[in-house]
Amino acid sequence: VFIFMVLAAMFESFALPFLVLLAVPMALVGVAGIFWGTGAEFDSSAKIGLILMFGIVVNNAILLINRFRLQVREMLENENIPTGDGPGQVPAKRRLGAFDLWRLPGEERQRILSGAIIDGVRIQMRSILLTSGTTVAGLLPLLYKHDTSQGKDIWENLALSSIGGLGSSTVLILSAIPALYWISTRWGWGFARLGRWFKARMARRKGGEPQAVA
């Protein structure tokens, strides 16, 4: 709940925090897979590994989604699209996002959205891979047992849960989050246009009512 509140304030949206938090079940896929494949026991040290891993996973999702928004603003500035409240304009606010493109013509807003997503993934991919890769590399020594006669080390399950979660989440964040961002933005455009149509219809209906005679 705390993460959701912070993200909602940062993105000024209630939909984007849900996309960020979807990175958590994406990580759990890898955790379940690696424990099922190795036959290891999911104990308390593995749960600590989950907590450590969730912070990195959520951070990667935030970086990617925020990059999409930055690319949208950059494309709008480069193309000198006017700001305002009329059709064919974007709102005059500092933190513009893909949802704010809904007043633009259909082909134009889809072109900007797809360009922002493609460029955002290309730019942010290196930092996400470096963050996850260096963390996995740092955890790999915990899987090495010098003396196998002493049994299982408590840090092994911690490393397994973190490595499995980071592996699956990195792949899914770079592949699934862009698609989900595209779908959620298109839905947001549809709801915004539907709300504008409903508001205009109510205004016409209200304006067509006969005025009462004094």
Side-chain angles (χ1 to χ4, degrees), residues 57-76:
V57 168
V58 170
N59 180 68
N60 288 339
I62 291 174
L63 289 176
L64 187 60
I65 292 178
N66 190 55
R67 173 55 59 180
F68 294 156
R69 293 166 61 87
L70 292 176
Q71 291 303 118
V72 168
R73 299 172 202 167
E74 183 176 341
M75 294 181 68
L76 292 176

Side-chain angles (χ1 to χ4, degrees), residues 22-213:
L22 282 177
V24 173
M26 292 178 185
L28 294 178
V29 172
V31 175
I34 198 169
F35 274 91
W36 176 79
T38 59
E41 181 184 358
F42 190 79
D43 54 9
S44 58
S45 62
K47 296 176 183 178
I48 297 175
L50 284 182
I51 298 175
L52 298 176
M53 177 264 300
F54 283 159
I56 301 175
V57 168
V58 170
N59 180 68
N60 288 339
I62 291 174
L63 289 176
L64 187 60
I65 292 178
N66 190 55
R67 173 55 59 180
F68 294 156
R69 293 166 61 87
L70 292 176
Q71 291 303 118
V72 168
R73 299 172 202 167
E74 183 176 341
M75 294 181 68
L76 292 176
E77 291 178 359
N78 293 337
E79 299 183 11
N80 295 323
I81 296 178
T83 60
D85 296 329
Q89 298 177 332
V90 293
K93 63 181 185 179
R94 185 169 59 90
R95 294 185 178 181
L96 286 172
F99 172 76
D100 301 314
L101 305 175
W102 67 274
R103 293 196 186 98
L104 300 179
E107 294 183 359
E108 186 175 7
R109 65 171 180 262
Q110 292 182 26
R111 176 183 58 81
I112 295 175
L113 176 62
S114 60
I117 291 176
I118 293 173
D119 293 341
V121 173
R122 178 179 55 83
I123 295 172
Q124 207 65 47
M125 180 185 296
R126 178 180 299 179
S127 62
I128 291 176
L129 291 177
L130 284 174
T131 302
S132 300
T134 53
T135 306
V136 170
L139 291 170
L140 286 177
L142 297 179
L143 299 178
Y144 174 74
K145 292 185 292 185
H146 179 69
D147 186 3
T148 58
S149 62
Q150 296 181 359
K152 196 176 185 66
D153 191 86
I154 61 172
W155 300 110
E156 185 174 347
N157 286 342
L158 183 148
L160 280 177
S161 62
S162 298
I163 292 173
L166 288 173
S168 64
S169 64
T170 301
V171 175
L172 292 175
I173 284 174
L174 292 174
S175 58
I177 291 293
L180 294 174
Y181 185 80
W182 168 274
I183 294 172
S184 63
T185 302
R186 295 288 301 272
W187 284 1
W189 291 345
F191 286 124
R193 295 175 70 87
L194 181 63
R196 185 177 66 174
W197 172 83
F198 181 76
K199 186 181 297 184
R201 183 179 179 183
M202 293 298 295
R204 289 195 302 266
R205 181 177 297 181
K206 185 177 181 180
E209 293 179 354
Q211 296 182 355
V213 180

